[in-house]
Amino acid sequence: MKLALASLSILAVTSVSAFAPQTTRTTTTTTQLYQNANQNPFGNAESIQFDEASGDTATSGSGRLADKLNEADIERRKIAEEADRRERAAEIRREERLAKIQYMNDMPENQPAGTVDEFMFKEGVQDQLDKLDHDLVGLVAVKQRVKEIAALLVLDKMRRKLGFETSVPSLHMSFTGAPGTGKTTVAVRMGQILAKMGYSRRGHVVLATRDDLVGQYVGHTAPKTKEMIKKAMGGVLLVDEAYYLYNAANDRDYGQESIEILLNVMENQQDDLVVAVAGYKDRMDKFFSYIPGMMSRIGNHIDFPNYSADELVQIAAVMSRDLEYDIDEEAYITFKNYIEARMELPFFSNARTVRNAMDRARMNSAIRTFERFAINGENGGVCTVGDLKNISAEDFQILLDDILNADVNTRIFA
């Protein structure tokens, strides 16, 4: 029995000795693999170490990572707060909308909203319409259209006062007609009406032509157009003879750039600027055919017809009243004869022709009065107030004689 135990002990020792070198080699190989696996792949620099004292990593890279995580957390909170804010705002709008619907449903049909006259006079709209009637002779259709626009604005304001939904109507305009038919005067009145109704801040009118909007070289047009728009902001920009902005025969014409800027402003800033284009009707129609975007943005097309001879005589009376002159009854007959003769000649300009005729008649009256009292010494050189205010038939007869007696080629300059 003792022999057997001794044999087993020897066998065990022999076995351990035999296997001991192999186990050591295996352990060494495993350690090397572990070290190789944890070696810094970016070089021999120190890898991130954890600082047990601070509870944080010991390198600056880990600090930046922590900062980025904090920033990301803050950004997520901001996004969540913004989403909550939008949701609350939407809920408030829904509640206000429902409350408004309920208010409108509960409102009786006979709810007093005030009188139209009250709004017309209180806002000063009626005063502007009266001035339009006072300053412009004829143009019944034009005045009617202006009154229709004013009525829409007045009733729109009454609706807003009661809580009805409203929207700013398209106030861009097109004025077509010959020179001297009152386009600029109507534009001025419309600007003042819009200001009275709160649809424009200032209500002034800025008159522009191609020379004011289009440059002479590359990069010159945009600043010029934007400068004119800036001047007109809060009022009306009246582009006279707008068809000259587009030159169909020249693709490189700079006017197209100005048109594009105007179209953009008409679409995006219509709450603060009204654009009115003016010119001869046939040319404006052709212009709109080239620029359909301009046509579609204009909601009010107003045609200004030529004046009749009797209306032009009335315009002369209005001008003499404003200038504090007295025209003899016989002088009106002579003036009408002159106007009828002038209307047959080229380049007739309606009220502008009347204004030029009145200026010449005033000059003739001054010459006549000067000769009577200063040169001839009539009444001891003393003239009366009536003499200074008088325009007689002979003052207009000089104009008529110039046409009747002038050469055919020079009559238009008479």
Side-chain angles (χ1 to χ4, degrees), residues 34-51 56-62:
Y34 177 79
Q35 291 176 349
N36 291 337
N38 287 275
Q39 186 177 3
N40 188 347
F42 299 101
N44 296 324
E46 183 181 2
S47 61
I48 297 176
Q49 302 293 327
F50 185 78
D51 188 351
D56 198 357
T57 52
T59 62
S60 59
S62 63

Side-chain angles (χ1 to χ4, degrees), residues 226-245:
K226 291 178 181 178
E227 179 63 23
M228 294 303 297
I229 291 173
K230 182 179 179 181
K231 291 180 181 178
M233 276 296 176
V236 179
L237 176 63
L238 177 60
V239 184
D240 195 20
E241 296 184 307
Y243 34 77
Y244 286 130
L245 293 178

Side-chain angles (χ1 to χ4, degrees), residues 352-382:
R352 293 180 187 173
T353 299
V354 174
R355 182 182 60 196
N356 294 335
M358 286 296 299
D359 288 342
R360 285 198 60 196
R362 289 168 54 207
M363 183 176 63
N364 294 336
S365 174
I367 293 173
R368 176 173 52 82
T369 303
F370 187 84
E371 289 180 350
R372 285 177 57 194
F373 297 100
I375 297 178
N376 299 331
E378 184 178 328
N379 195 28
V382 178

Side-chain angles (χ1 to χ4, degrees), residues 49-332:
Q49 302 293 327
F50 185 78
D51 188 351
E52 295 181 355
S54 63
D56 198 357
T57 52
T59 62
S60 59
S62 63
R64 289 196 296 271
L65 177 61
D67 292 339
K68 291 181 179 178
L69 290 175
N70 290 333
E71 292 175 359
D73 186 52
I74 294 173
E75 186 66 24
R76 283 193 297 270
R77 287 201 302 270
K78 287 183 178 179
I79 294 173
E81 290 173 358
E82 180 63 21
D84 291 340
R85 188 193 65 79
R86 288 197 299 267
E87 185 176 352
R88 288 195 301 271
E91 182 63 27
I92 292 173
R93 287 195 297 269
R94 285 193 294 269
E95 292 176 357
E96 291 177 347
R97 176 67 177 169
L98 292 175
K100 183 175 182 179
I101 292 175
Q102 185 63 38
Y103 170 77
M104 300 303 295
N105 290 334
D106 295 340
M107 183 187 298
E109 292 293 334
N110 58 355
Q111 172 77 20
T115 65
V116 175
D117 286 342
E118 177 185 353
F119 276 80
M120 293 285 284
F121 284 101
K122 181 179 179 181
E123 303 297 339
V125 177
Q126 188 62 51
D127 180 57
Q128 295 301 322
L129 295 177
D130 291 341
K131 287 182 179 179
L132 192 64
D133 284 330
H134 184 267
D135 295 342
L136 283 183
V137 174
L139 299 179
V140 177
V142 173
K143 294 177 182 178
Q144 182 62 32
R145 185 59 184 274
V146 173
K147 291 177 181 178
E148 291 171 356
I149 297 174
L152 171 62
L153 301 181
V154 169
L155 294 180
D156 222 28
K157 195 161 189 177
M158 296 176 69
R159 285 171 56 88
R160 287 203 307 271
K161 183 179 179 181
L162 291 175
F164 285 97
E165 288 291 336
T166 59
S167 62
V168 178
S170 175
L171 297 174
H172 301 308
M173 305 176 190
S174 170
F175 297 156
T176 54
T181 50
K183 298 186 292 295
T184 302
T185 302
V186 172
V188 171
R189 292 287 172 261
M190 282 303 306
Q192 293 168 345
I193 290 174
L194 294 176
K196 295 290 185 182
M197 295 303 301
Y199 285 93
S200 64
R201 292 181 288 110
R202 300 168 60 189
H204 65 299
V205 177
V206 174
L207 181 62
T209 62
R210 176 186 168 92
D211 290 340
D212 299 312
L213 300 171
V214 182
Q216 302 297 320
Y217 50 85
V218 175
H220 191 207
T221 295
K224 291 189 70 173
T225 302
K226 291 178 181 178
E227 179 63 23
M228 294 303 297
I229 291 173
K230 182 179 179 181
K231 291 180 181 178
M233 276 296 176
V236 179
L237 176 63
L238 177 60
V239 184
D240 195 20
E241 296 184 307
Y243 34 77
Y244 286 130
L245 293 178
Y246 182 78
N247 187 355
N250 185 0
D251 294 337
R252 293 186 174 183
D253 185 72
Y254 301 130
Q256 182 65 39
E257 182 180 1
S258 179
I259 292 173
E260 292 173 358
I261 296 174
L262 288 173
L263 292 176
N264 182 64
V265 171
M266 292 171 70
E267 182 68 25
N268 299 322
Q269 301 187 47
Q270 59 180 337
D271 293 344
D272 199 33
L273 179 67
V274 174
V275 176
V277 292
Y280 288 101
K281 181 172 175 53
D282 55 342
R283 297 184 184 180
M284 289 301 298
D285 290 342
K286 190 174 183 180
F287 171 70
F288 287 139
S289 68
Y290 289 131
I291 314 293
M294 182 74 74
M295 179 74 169
S296 62
R297 286 172 173 80
I298 294 176
N300 301 284
H301 294 263
I302 304 177
D303 185 48
F304 289 70
N306 289 322
Y307 288 105
S308 65
D310 290 331
E311 290 174 335
L312 293 172
V313 172
Q314 294 179 41
I315 290 175
V318 171
M319 290 181 179
S320 66
R321 177 199 66 198
D322 294 340
L323 294 171
E324 297 183 343
Y325 276 90
D326 294 330
I327 300 179
D328 295 340
E329 291 298 326
E330 298 81 4
Y332 281 117

